[in-house]
Amino acid sequence: MNTTKENHTVKEPKLTKKGKETRARIVAAAAKLMFERGVAGTSVEDVQQEAGVSSSQLYHYFKEKRELVLAVILYQNEQVLGSQEPLLSHLDSIEALQAWRDAIVQYQTEQQFLGGCPIGSLGSELADLEPAAREELVAGFLKWELAIRKGLQAMYDRGEMQKHARPERLALAVLSALQGGLLLSKIHKEAGPLEAGLDAMIEHIRSHLI
Amino acid sequence: MNTTKENHTVKEPKLTKKGKETRARIVAAAAKLMFERGVAGTSVEDVQQEAGVSSSQLYHYFKEKRELVLAVILYQNEQVLGSQEPLLSHLDSIEALQAWRDAIVQYQTEQQFLGGCPIGSLGSELADLEPAAREELVAGFLKWELAIRKGLQAMYDRGEMQKHARPERLALAVLSALQGGLLLSKIHKEAGPLEAGLDAMIEHIRSHLI
């Protein structure tokens, strides 16, 4: 793999205001299609059409599909984590965890469980096929995990949790249950798995409170 | 969708011994490739080559890729659940849950977390694209969930769990944590998420014991 090229993509080149807008439109169009059809099911031509740009315009910003995929991962990392704010940054009480859980369940229900988690789906498809994509996905999930951990650590540091509790381990467990719940709810088209997974984890965290 | 055709596929037509062997070889080859590259990344020609059959032979058993995909789902449902036996059928103690958890973690570690869960990956890719595939995946996950539930229900029925415990809810939570753990471990290429998710669930079940 050409690391230089990848870094170039990830850093985003200097662009005019209009150039940035066009690039953003391409990335949003690609993200939409890849969310709906998967990465393999989305051609560069599909993206071009969806974004309403010419092939030379698209080529100006992304020399190959792989670059576009990396940009989509960065975009979805931001979208997914951003959509959970401000709740995600303050998961430092059972009530806050509950409100965050409710917001996720409500959002997925409104979406009729279509697509599940954009990052999880990209991860499922790309983890073993695109090393550079996998790295960006790991970075996205790490941010997510750290946001959850921060809240739990705050509870721990305030002395609200039993000494043997391990906030870093609990945060990873919460994210696992969330991802599995999102995947199973996407397959079953019902909230049950998502609710069961998250509720069990919140109850589990509650059992660590003093 | 042509329901008749789908039922025909799922029921498997009457075949000679040799016919069954050829069909099984095609399905196993398709399952292998789809596990490695995804469904969209696997062409009928790829499968033909991997299985060492002619295109007319393949066409004799599967009229279109969609039929092959359904056969792969049935195959993977059997493979995945079968690979967890006899542990999966007897999850009626904390020790049994622990042994099952250890076996899954060991297997995934040996596989270097390549591919994650074959059914979960198929579900992530197909849930919103192929209604018939989604139904087969739901059926597979339901079997899995019921196997977990059976063990927990046995613990409950023997009076080992608190009255308020809900084995059916706990089973779904365990499966969510397992699926999320498998997905995140596939992305991170380490056992951490899988272990954290399952350990938290087993601890959570333990907290319901009398």
Side-chain angles (χ1 to χ4, degrees):
Chain A
M1 290 228 144
N2 186 330
T3 320
T4 317
K5 195 183 282 172
E6 280 155 26
N7 283 341
H8 175 70
T9 314
V10 173
K11 272 185 194 161
E12 298 186 12
K14 277 192 181 174
L15 296 170
T16 62
K17 183 161 176 277
K18 200 175 161 218
K20 278 187 192 168
E21 284 169 5
T22 306
R23 188 183 185 282
R25 196 163 79 243
I26 294 169
V27 174
K32 176 179 179 287
L33 295 181
M34 289 173 185
F35 182 63
E36 290 170 0
R37 314 173 183 174
V39 174
T42 303
S43 71
V44 173
E45 290 70 32
D46 294 336
V47 174
Q48 187 192 314
Q49 201 162 30
E50 176 79 21
V53 296
S54 69
S55 66
S56 65
Q57 263 181 304
L58 198 143
Y59 184 78
H60 176 71
Y61 299 100
F62 302 100
K63 297 289 173 269
E64 48 179 14
K65 187 177 172 184
R66 188 175 292 180
E67 293 184 9
L68 190 51
V69 170
L70 288 180
V72 164
I73 294 172
L74 290 179
Y75 171 86
Q76 292 289 28
N77 282 347
E78 276 180 28
Q79 291 286 313
V80 171
L81 271 68
S83 71
Q84 292 173 38
E85 291 299 348
L87 295 168
L88 182 60
S89 291
H90 301 87
L91 297 177
D92 63 345
S93 69
I94 295 295
E95 294 68 32
L97 285 161
Q98 191 68 46
W100 174 67
R101 171 264 190 223
D102 290 348
I104 294 173
V105 170
Q106 190 190 332
Y107 179 79
Q108 289 294 326
T109 306
E110 283 166 6
Q111 303 299 309
Q112 300 177 291
F113 309 102
L114 282 168
C117 175
I119 326 181
S121 301
L122 287 165
S124 181
E125 185 172 358
L126 300 172
D128 295 324
L129 299 177
E130 294 285 347
R134 191 185 75 77
E135 278 177 37
E136 290 300 338
L137 288 159
V138 165
F141 276 115
L142 201 60
K143 268 192 206 166
W144 204 346
E145 186 187 326
L146 288 176
I148 301 170
R149 189 197 292 192
K150 195 181 129 224
L152 300 180
Q153 188 67 48
M155 292 168 79
Y156 188 89
D157 293 344
R158 289 198 305 260
E160 295 166 16
M161 276 196 194
Q162 294 163 12
K163 270 273 171 283
H164 70 84
R166 292 175 57 191
E168 79 286 357
R169 192 85 173 165
L170 289 171
L172 193 51
V174 168
L175 191 56
S176 288
L178 171 56
Q179 278 300 313
L182 286 167
L183 174 58
L184 289 178
S185 283
K186 164 179 162 174
I187 295 169
H188 286 275
K189 297 297 172 218
E190 52 185 47
L194 182 58
E195 291 176 338
L198 286 179
D199 288 349
M201 284 302 174
I202 293 175
E203 251 196 85
H204 181 57
I205 291 169
R206 194 199 300 271
S207 76
H208 287 79
L209 296 187
I210 288 171
Chain B
M1 290 228 142
N2 185 330
T3 320
T4 317
K5 196 182 281 173
E6 280 154 26
N7 283 340
H8 176 72
T9 314
V10 173
K11 272 185 195 159
E12 297 187 14
K14 276 191 182 173
L15 296 170
T16 62
K17 183 162 175 279
K18 200 175 161 218
K20 277 187 193 170
E21 282 169 6
T22 306
R23 187 183 185 281
R25 196 164 80 243
I26 294 169
V27 174
K32 176 180 179 286
L33 295 181
M34 290 174 185
F35 182 63
E36 288 169 2
R37 314 173 183 174
V39 174
T42 303
S43 71
V44 172
E45 290 70 32
D46 293 336
V47 175
Q48 188 193 314
Q49 202 161 28
E50 176 79 20
V53 296
S54 68
S55 66
S56 65
Q57 262 182 305
L58 199 145
Y59 183 78
H60 175 71
Y61 298 100
F62 302 100
K63 297 289 172 268
E64 50 179 12
K65 187 177 173 184
R66 186 175 295 180
E67 293 184 9
L68 190 51
V69 170
L70 289 180
V72 165
I73 294 172
L74 290 179
Y75 172 86
Q76 292 290 27
N77 282 347
E78 276 181 27
Q79 291 286 313
V80 171
L81 272 69
S83 71
Q84 292 173 39
E85 292 299 349
L87 295 168
L88 182 61
S89 291
H90 301 88
L91 297 178
D92 64 344
S93 68
I94 295 295
E95 295 67 32
L97 285 161
Q98 191 68 45
W100 174 67
R101 171 264 191 223
D102 289 349
I104 294 173
V105 169
Q106 188 189 333
Y107 178 79
Q108 289 294 325
T109 306
E110 282 166 7
Q111 302 300 309
Q112 299 177 293
F113 310 102
L114 282 168
C117 174
I119 325 182
S121 301
L122 287 165
S124 181
E125 183 172 358
L126 300 173
D128 295 323
L129 300 177
E130 294 285 347
R134 190 185 75 78
E135 277 178 38
E136 290 300 338
L137 289 158
V138 165
F141 276 116
L142 201 60
K143 267 192 207 165
W144 205 346
E145 188 188 325
L146 288 176
I148 301 170
R149 188 197 293 192
K150 194 180 129 222
L152 300 180
Q153 188 67 48
M155 293 168 79
Y156 188 87
D157 292 344
R158 289 198 305 259
E160 294 166 18
M161 277 197 194
Q162 294 163 11
K163 269 274 173 283
H164 70 85
R166 293 174 57 191
E168 79 287 357
R169 192 84 173 167
L170 288 172
L172 193 51
V174 168
L175 191 56
S176 288
L178 171 56
Q179 279 300 313
L182 287 167
L183 174 58
L184 289 178
S185 283
K186 164 178 161 173
I187 295 170
H188 286 275
K189 297 295 171 220
E190 52 184 48
L194 182 58
E195 292 175 339
L198 287 179
D199 288 349
M201 284 302 173
I202 293 174
E203 250 197 85
H204 180 57
I205 291 168
R206 194 198 299 272
S207 76
H208 287 78
L209 297 186
I210 288 172

